[in-house]
Amino acid sequence: TVKVAIYLELPKIDESGKEKERVQIYEGVIISKHSNENPVNATITVRKMFQGGGIEKVFLTHSPWIKDFTVLSSAKVRRGKLYYLRERMGKSARLKRSFS
């Protein structure tokens, strides 16, 4: 199951050359999960730290372009959405790991 505060690797098929498909790995923390009326349209927002700033991408959970995801670690949080991580930089943007 996909939950908020999971640090994951998300391989995505990129078809830019049209001749070859290559897999790009996007690695980051899930900061929000949106489920619409139709669960097929559910999305997750993944935040990744890059060169001192953050990059966020929205992925459809049932997209054919996403192979599968690997959970690297999970964290203990008390919020449903982690939008407060947008203002945090460096060590203050870290989350407390859970080992369960």
Tab-separated table of all heavy atoms in Angstrom, residues 30-75:
chain	number	residue	atom	x	y	z
A	30	ILE	N	6.974	10.502	-0.412
A	30	ILE	CA	5.581	10.807	-0.736
A	30	ILE	C	5.096	11.854	0.255
A	30	ILE	O	5.087	11.609	1.461
A	30	ILE	CB	4.702	9.553	-0.665
A	30	ILE	CG1	5.176	8.512	-1.664
A	30	ILE	CG2	3.244	9.899	-0.914
A	30	ILE	CD1	4.425	7.223	-1.600
A	31	ILE	N	4.713	13.041	-0.244
A	31	ILE	CA	4.243	14.082	0.677
A	31	ILE	C	2.728	14.214	0.664
A	31	ILE	O	2.171	14.801	1.574
A	31	ILE	CB	4.901	15.445	0.390
A	31	ILE	CG1	4.565	15.957	-0.980
A	31	ILE	CG2	6.381	15.379	0.597
A	31	ILE	CD1	4.925	17.414	-1.174
A	32	SER	N	2.056	13.680	-0.370
A	32	SER	CA	0.598	13.700	-0.338
A	32	SER	C	0.062	12.592	-1.225
A	32	SER	O	0.729	12.125	-2.136
A	32	SER	CB	0.044	15.044	-0.795
A	32	SER	OG	0.223	15.193	-2.180
A	33	LYS	N	-1.153	12.214	-0.904
A	33	LYS	CA	-1.845	11.168	-1.651
A	33	LYS	C	-3.263	11.665	-1.883
A	33	LYS	O	-3.941	12.069	-0.934
A	33	LYS	CB	-1.842	9.895	-0.811
A	33	LYS	CG	-2.497	8.714	-1.450
A	33	LYS	CD	-2.355	7.519	-0.528
A	33	LYS	CE	-3.634	6.733	-0.568
A	33	LYS	NZ	-3.661	5.625	0.346
A	34	HIS	N	-3.676	11.704	-3.133
A	34	HIS	CA	-5.015	12.163	-3.472
A	34	HIS	C	-5.782	11.020	-4.103
A	34	HIS	O	-5.307	10.395	-5.050
A	34	HIS	CB	-4.957	13.323	-4.472
A	34	HIS	CG	-4.317	14.547	-3.926
A	34	HIS	ND1	-4.980	15.440	-3.136
A	34	HIS	CD2	-3.059	15.027	-4.024
A	34	HIS	CE1	-4.170	16.413	-2.790
A	34	HIS	NE2	-2.987	16.187	-3.320
A	35	SER	N	-6.968	10.758	-3.592
A	35	SER	CA	-7.818	9.752	-4.216
A	35	SER	C	-9.132	10.429	-4.580
A	35	SER	O	-9.811	10.992	-3.733
A	35	SER	CB	-8.049	8.579	-3.273
A	35	SER	OG	-8.586	9.028	-2.064
A	36	ASN	N	-9.440	10.397	-5.844
A	36	ASN	CA	-10.668	11.014	-6.335
A	36	ASN	C	-11.831	10.054	-6.144
A	36	ASN	O	-11.695	9.020	-5.494
A	36	ASN	CB	-10.496	11.387	-7.802
A	36	ASN	CG	-9.326	12.328	-8.011
A	36	ASN	OD1	-8.941	13.027	-7.090
A	36	ASN	ND2	-8.766	12.319	-9.191
A	37	GLU	N	-12.973	10.382	-6.730
A	37	GLU	CA	-14.123	9.491	-6.617
A	37	GLU	C	-13.817	8.147	-7.259
A	37	GLU	O	-14.201	7.108	-6.768
A	37	GLU	CB	-15.338	10.125	-7.287
A	37	GLU	CG	-15.826	11.365	-6.589
A	37	GLU	CD	-16.923	12.060	-7.362
A	37	GLU	OE1	-17.403	11.509	-8.356
A	37	GLU	OE2	-17.290	13.167	-6.945
A	38	ASN	N	-13.107	8.182	-8.379
A	38	ASN	CA	-12.701	6.962	-9.048
A	38	ASN	C	-11.292	6.597	-8.573
A	38	ASN	O	-10.367	7.361	-8.770
A	38	ASN	CB	-12.714	7.194	-10.567
A	38	ASN	CG	-12.532	5.919	-11.345
A	38	ASN	OD1	-12.345	4.855	-10.764
A	38	ASN	ND2	-12.579	6.026	-12.645
A	39	PRO	N	-11.098	5.436	-7.938
A	39	PRO	CA	-9.770	5.114	-7.411
A	39	PRO	C	-8.709	4.905	-8.484
A	39	PRO	O	-7.522	4.923	-8.185
A	39	PRO	CB	-9.996	3.836	-6.614
A	39	PRO	CG	-11.299	3.318	-7.031
A	39	PRO	CD	-12.099	4.445	-7.584
A	40	VAL	N	-9.111	4.751	-9.727
A	40	VAL	CA	-8.143	4.597	-10.810
A	40	VAL	C	-7.402	5.909	-11.045
A	40	VAL	O	-6.256	5.917	-11.482
A	40	VAL	CB	-8.855	4.116	-12.099
A	40	VAL	CG1	-7.895	4.039	-13.260
A	40	VAL	CG2	-9.489	2.768	-11.856
A	41	ASN	N	-8.018	7.043	-10.717
A	41	ASN	CA	-7.420	8.352	-10.918
A	41	ASN	C	-6.613	8.829	-9.707
A	41	ASN	O	-6.307	10.005	-9.609
A	41	ASN	CB	-8.493	9.392	-11.236
A	41	ASN	CG	-9.185	9.102	-12.539
A	41	ASN	OD1	-8.616	8.478	-13.421
A	41	ASN	ND2	-10.425	9.541	-12.665
A	42	ALA	N	-6.266	7.945	-8.791
A	42	ALA	CA	-5.532	8.337	-7.595
A	42	ALA	C	-4.119	8.772	-7.963
A	42	ALA	O	-3.486	8.205	-8.850
A	42	ALA	CB	-5.476	7.180	-6.608
A	43	THR	N	-3.625	9.808	-7.275
A	43	THR	CA	-2.287	10.334	-7.546
A	43	THR	C	-1.493	10.431	-6.249
A	43	THR	O	-2.059	10.513	-5.160
A	43	THR	CB	-2.344	11.741	-8.173
A	43	THR	OG1	-2.994	12.631	-7.275
A	43	THR	CG2	-3.063	11.717	-9.498
A	44	ILE	N	-0.162	10.418	-6.398
A	44	ILE	CA	0.730	10.675	-5.284
A	44	ILE	C	1.693	11.784	-5.700
A	44	ILE	O	2.031	11.911	-6.870
A	44	ILE	CB	1.521	9.418	-4.855
A	44	ILE	CG1	2.303	8.837	-6.027
A	44	ILE	CG2	0.645	8.396	-4.209
A	44	ILE	CD1	3.247	7.730	-5.637
A	45	THR	N	2.087	12.610	-4.748
A	45	THR	CA	3.078	13.655	-4.989
A	45	THR	C	4.359	13.234	-4.307
A	45	THR	O	4.379	12.975	-3.105
A	45	THR	CB	2.605	15.001	-4.428
A	45	THR	OG1	1.330	15.309	-4.980
A	45	THR	CG2	3.573	16.102	-4.788
A	46	VAL	N	5.443	13.144	-5.090
A	46	VAL	CA	6.732	12.695	-4.577
A	46	VAL	C	7.691	13.872	-4.589
A	46	VAL	O	7.822	14.567	-5.590
A	46	VAL	CB	7.281	11.531	-5.434
A	46	VAL	CG1	8.610	11.046	-4.890
A	46	VAL	CG2	6.287	10.392	-5.493
A	47	ARG	N	8.361	14.120	-3.468
A	47	ARG	CA	9.307	15.232	-3.339
A	47	ARG	C	10.717	14.683	-3.227
A	47	ARG	O	10.979	13.767	-2.452
A	47	ARG	CB	8.981	16.068	-2.118
A	47	ARG	CG	9.905	17.269	-1.963
A	47	ARG	CD	9.428	18.161	-0.846
A	47	ARG	NE	10.317	19.271	-0.618
A	47	ARG	CZ	10.282	20.410	-1.293
A	47	ARG	NH1	9.390	20.569	-2.242
A	47	ARG	NH2	11.129	21.379	-1.035
A	48	LYS	N	11.601	15.286	-3.994
A	48	LYS	CA	12.990	14.859	-4.040
A	48	LYS	C	13.870	16.073	-3.809
A	48	LYS	O	13.601	17.145	-4.335
A	48	LYS	CB	13.223	14.257	-5.427
A	48	LYS	CG	14.597	14.131	-5.905
A	48	LYS	CD	14.528	13.586	-7.324
A	48	LYS	CE	15.826	13.637	-8.025
A	48	LYS	NZ	15.769	13.011	-9.331
A	49	MET	N	14.904	15.935	-3.001
A	49	MET	CA	15.845	17.023	-2.764
A	49	MET	C	16.921	16.973	-3.835
A	49	MET	O	17.491	15.915	-4.096
A	49	MET	CB	16.481	16.902	-1.381
A	49	MET	CG	15.503	17.094	-0.251
A	49	MET	SD	14.584	18.627	-0.329
A	49	MET	CE	15.848	19.792	0.048
A	50	PHE	N	17.174	18.132	-4.472
A	50	PHE	CA	18.133	18.181	-5.568
A	50	PHE	C	18.842	19.524	-5.553
A	50	PHE	O	18.203	20.565	-5.674
A	50	PHE	CB	17.406	17.978	-6.897
A	50	PHE	CG	18.313	17.980	-8.088
A	50	PHE	CD1	19.159	16.926	-8.317
A	50	PHE	CD2	18.307	19.041	-8.964
A	50	PHE	CE1	19.986	16.925	-9.413
A	50	PHE	CE2	19.127	19.055	-10.057
A	50	PHE	CZ	19.986	17.991	-10.287
A	51	GLN	N	20.157	19.513	-5.378
A	51	GLN	CA	21.009	20.698	-5.381
A	51	GLN	C	20.512	21.790	-4.431
A	51	GLN	O	20.390	22.957	-4.795
A	51	GLN	CB	21.156	21.259	-6.788
A	51	GLN	CG	21.915	20.359	-7.717
A	51	GLN	CD	22.105	20.965	-9.082
A	51	GLN	OE1	21.534	22.010	-9.398
A	51	GLN	NE2	22.886	20.314	-9.899
A	52	GLY	N	20.175	21.401	-3.229
A	52	GLY	CA	19.755	22.367	-2.224
A	52	GLY	C	18.305	22.784	-2.313
A	52	GLY	O	17.794	23.439	-1.432
A	53	GLY	N	17.596	22.417	-3.350
A	53	GLY	CA	16.185	22.735	-3.500
A	53	GLY	C	15.376	21.461	-3.651
A	53	GLY	O	15.919	20.374	-3.740
A	54	GLY	N	14.080	21.610	-3.680
A	54	GLY	CA	13.218	20.448	-3.801
A	54	GLY	C	12.485	20.427	-5.129
A	54	GLY	O	12.155	21.462	-5.689
A	55	ILE	N	12.258	19.216	-5.638
A	55	ILE	CA	11.500	19.030	-6.875
A	55	ILE	C	10.340	18.107	-6.544
A	55	ILE	O	10.531	17.071	-5.913
A	55	ILE	CB	12.381	18.395	-7.972
A	55	ILE	CG1	13.559	19.292	-8.287
A	55	ILE	CG2	11.568	18.126	-9.218
A	55	ILE	CD1	14.557	18.668	-9.209
A	56	GLU	N	9.144	18.506	-6.968
A	56	GLU	CA	7.967	17.673	-6.736
A	56	GLU	C	7.389	17.230	-8.059
A	56	GLU	O	7.356	17.986	-9.017
A	56	GLU	CB	6.900	18.456	-5.971
A	56	GLU	CG	7.299	18.785	-4.571
A	56	GLU	CD	6.224	19.544	-3.835
A	56	GLU	OE1	5.120	19.707	-4.389
A	56	GLU	OE2	6.494	19.995	-2.719
A	57	LYS	N	6.935	15.984	-8.098
A	57	LYS	CA	6.305	15.434	-9.286
A	57	LYS	C	5.050	14.701	-8.868
A	57	LYS	O	5.017	14.064	-7.815
A	57	LYS	CB	7.252	14.450	-9.972
A	57	LYS	CG	7.665	14.850	-11.334
A	57	LYS	CD	8.549	13.793	-11.936
A	57	LYS	CE	9.050	14.308	-13.256
A	57	LYS	NZ	9.900	13.348	-13.932
A	58	VAL	N	4.020	14.786	-9.680
A	58	VAL	CA	2.763	14.103	-9.416
A	58	VAL	C	2.694	12.887	-10.329
A	58	VAL	O	2.886	12.991	-11.537
A	58	VAL	CB	1.561	15.038	-9.661
A	58	VAL	CG1	0.265	14.306	-9.419
A	58	VAL	CG2	1.652	16.264	-8.783
A	59	PHE	N	2.428	11.723	-9.742
A	59	PHE	CA	2.338	10.477	-10.488
A	59	PHE	C	0.957	9.873	-10.322
A	59	PHE	O	0.402	9.886	-9.225
A	59	PHE	CB	3.362	9.455	-9.974
A	59	PHE	CG	4.781	9.834	-10.228
A	59	PHE	CD1	5.555	10.389	-9.229
A	59	PHE	CD2	5.361	9.619	-11.459
A	59	PHE	CE1	6.874	10.722	-9.447
A	59	PHE	CE2	6.683	9.955	-11.694
A	59	PHE	CZ	7.435	10.503	-10.687
A	60	LEU	N	0.417	9.316	-11.390
A	60	LEU	CA	-0.787	8.503	-11.296
A	60	LEU	C	-0.382	7.135	-10.763
A	60	LEU	O	0.587	6.542	-11.251
A	60	LEU	CB	-1.441	8.331	-12.663
A	60	LEU	CG	-2.263	9.495	-13.182
A	60	LEU	CD1	-2.556	9.311	-14.656
A	60	LEU	CD2	-3.552	9.595	-12.414
A	61	THR	N	-1.101	6.627	-9.775
A	61	THR	CA	-0.700	5.352	-9.185
A	61	THR	C	-0.963	4.176	-10.122
A	61	THR	O	-0.252	3.188	-10.065
A	61	THR	CB	-1.430	5.118	-7.852
A	61	THR	OG1	-2.826	5.237	-8.069
A	61	THR	CG2	-0.981	6.106	-6.815
A	62	HIS	N	-1.949	4.288	-10.986
A	62	HIS	CA	-2.280	3.191	-11.903
A	62	HIS	C	-1.821	3.485	-13.320
A	62	HIS	O	-2.431	3.030	-14.277
A	62	HIS	CB	-3.780	2.922	-11.884
A	62	HIS	CG	-4.273	2.466	-10.544
A	62	HIS	ND1	-4.032	1.205	-10.055
A	62	HIS	CD2	-4.963	3.118	-9.578
A	62	HIS	CE1	-4.567	1.083	-8.856
A	62	HIS	NE2	-5.130	2.236	-8.542
A	63	SER	N	-0.747	4.242	-13.465
A	63	SER	CA	-0.265	4.614	-14.782
A	63	SER	C	0.468	3.437	-15.434
A	63	SER	O	1.208	2.714	-14.762
A	63	SER	CB	0.690	5.797	-14.665
A	63	SER	OG	1.290	6.052	-15.901
A	64	PRO	N	0.310	3.245	-16.741
A	64	PRO	CA	1.066	2.185	-17.412
A	64	PRO	C	2.548	2.525	-17.568
A	64	PRO	O	3.357	1.656	-17.855
A	64	PRO	CB	0.390	2.079	-18.785
A	64	PRO	CG	-0.265	3.383	-18.992
A	64	PRO	CD	-0.634	3.895	-17.639
A	65	TRP	N	2.915	3.792	-17.341
A	65	TRP	CA	4.310	4.202	-17.465
A	65	TRP	C	5.120	3.886	-16.225
A	65	TRP	O	6.346	3.914	-16.258
A	65	TRP	CB	4.408	5.697	-17.761
A	65	TRP	CG	3.760	6.056	-19.047
A	65	TRP	CD1	2.600	6.740	-19.209
A	65	TRP	CD2	4.199	5.715	-20.359
A	65	TRP	NE1	2.288	6.855	-20.535
A	65	TRP	CE2	3.264	6.228	-21.268
A	65	TRP	CE3	5.287	5.025	-20.854
A	65	TRP	CZ2	3.395	6.072	-22.637
A	65	TRP	CZ3	5.408	4.875	-22.210
A	65	TRP	CH2	4.469	5.399	-23.090
A	66	ILE	N	4.461	3.589	-15.126
A	66	ILE	CA	5.159	3.254	-13.889
A	66	ILE	C	5.182	1.738	-13.767
A	66	ILE	O	4.141	1.092	-13.737
A	66	ILE	CB	4.474	3.889	-12.674
A	66	ILE	CG1	4.568	5.402	-12.772
A	66	ILE	CG2	5.093	3.385	-11.389
A	66	ILE	CD1	3.840	6.121	-11.694
A	67	LYS	N	6.375	1.174	-13.699
A	67	LYS	CA	6.513	-0.281	-13.593
A	67	LYS	C	6.029	-0.744	-12.212
A	67	LYS	O	4.966	-1.303	-12.069
A	67	LYS	CB	7.965	-0.676	-13.793
A	67	LYS	CG	8.470	-0.410	-15.169
A	67	LYS	CD	8.515	-1.695	-15.899
A	67	LYS	CE	9.120	-1.466	-17.270
A	67	LYS	NZ	8.996	-2.637	-18.068
A	68	ASP	N	6.852	-0.523	-11.204
A	68	ASP	CA	6.503	-0.802	-9.825
A	68	ASP	C	7.432	0.036	-8.959
A	68	ASP	O	8.381	0.604	-9.456
A	68	ASP	CB	6.652	-2.290	-9.486
A	68	ASP	CG	8.057	-2.794	-9.723
A	68	ASP	OD1	8.782	-2.156	-10.504
A	68	ASP	OD2	8.439	-3.815	-9.138
A	69	PHE	N	7.124	0.145	-7.697
A	69	PHE	CA	7.963	0.974	-6.850
A	69	PHE	C	8.573	0.147	-5.735
A	69	PHE	O	8.024	-0.855	-5.309
A	69	PHE	CB	7.210	2.185	-6.298
A	69	PHE	CG	6.010	1.840	-5.473
A	69	PHE	CD1	6.129	1.651	-4.123
A	69	PHE	CD2	4.768	1.737	-6.056
A	69	PHE	CE1	5.028	1.343	-3.353
A	69	PHE	CE2	3.664	1.440	-5.304
A	69	PHE	CZ	3.795	1.237	-3.946
A	70	THR	N	9.742	0.567	-5.298
A	70	THR	CA	10.475	-0.099	-4.236
A	70	THR	C	10.512	0.817	-3.022
A	70	THR	O	10.956	1.954	-3.127
A	70	THR	CB	11.928	-0.381	-4.683
A	70	THR	OG1	11.894	-1.052	-5.923
A	70	THR	CG2	12.659	-1.217	-3.671
A	71	VAL	N	10.029	0.332	-1.900
A	71	VAL	CA	10.050	1.115	-0.665
A	71	VAL	C	11.430	1.004	-0.049
A	71	VAL	O	11.900	-0.086	0.263
A	71	VAL	CB	8.966	0.625	0.316
A	71	VAL	CG1	9.062	1.373	1.624
A	71	VAL	CG2	7.592	0.777	-0.287
A	72	LEU	N	12.112	2.140	0.093
A	72	LEU	CA	13.443	2.160	0.687
A	72	LEU	C	13.370	2.291	2.200
A	72	LEU	O	14.096	1.620	2.922
A	72	LEU	CB	14.265	3.301	0.092
A	72	LEU	CG	14.464	3.248	-1.421
A	72	LEU	CD1	15.206	4.472	-1.889
A	72	LEU	CD2	15.207	1.995	-1.804
A	73	SER	N	12.498	3.163	2.696
A	73	SER	CA	12.297	3.312	4.131
A	73	SER	C	10.972	4.025	4.353
A	73	SER	O	10.388	4.566	3.422
A	73	SER	CB	13.443	4.093	4.784
A	73	SER	OG	13.430	5.414	4.332
A	74	SER	N	10.530	4.023	5.594
A	74	SER	CA	9.305	4.746	5.926
A	74	SER	C	9.563	5.564	7.181
A	74	SER	O	10.504	5.313	7.918
A	74	SER	CB	8.132	3.787	6.137
A	74	SER	OG	8.423	2.888	7.175
A	75	ALA	N	8.703	6.544	7.404
A	75	ALA	CA	8.898	7.457	8.521
A	75	ALA	C	7.641	7.525	9.376
A	75	ALA	O	6.545	7.202	8.921
A	75	ALA	CB	9.254	8.843	8.009
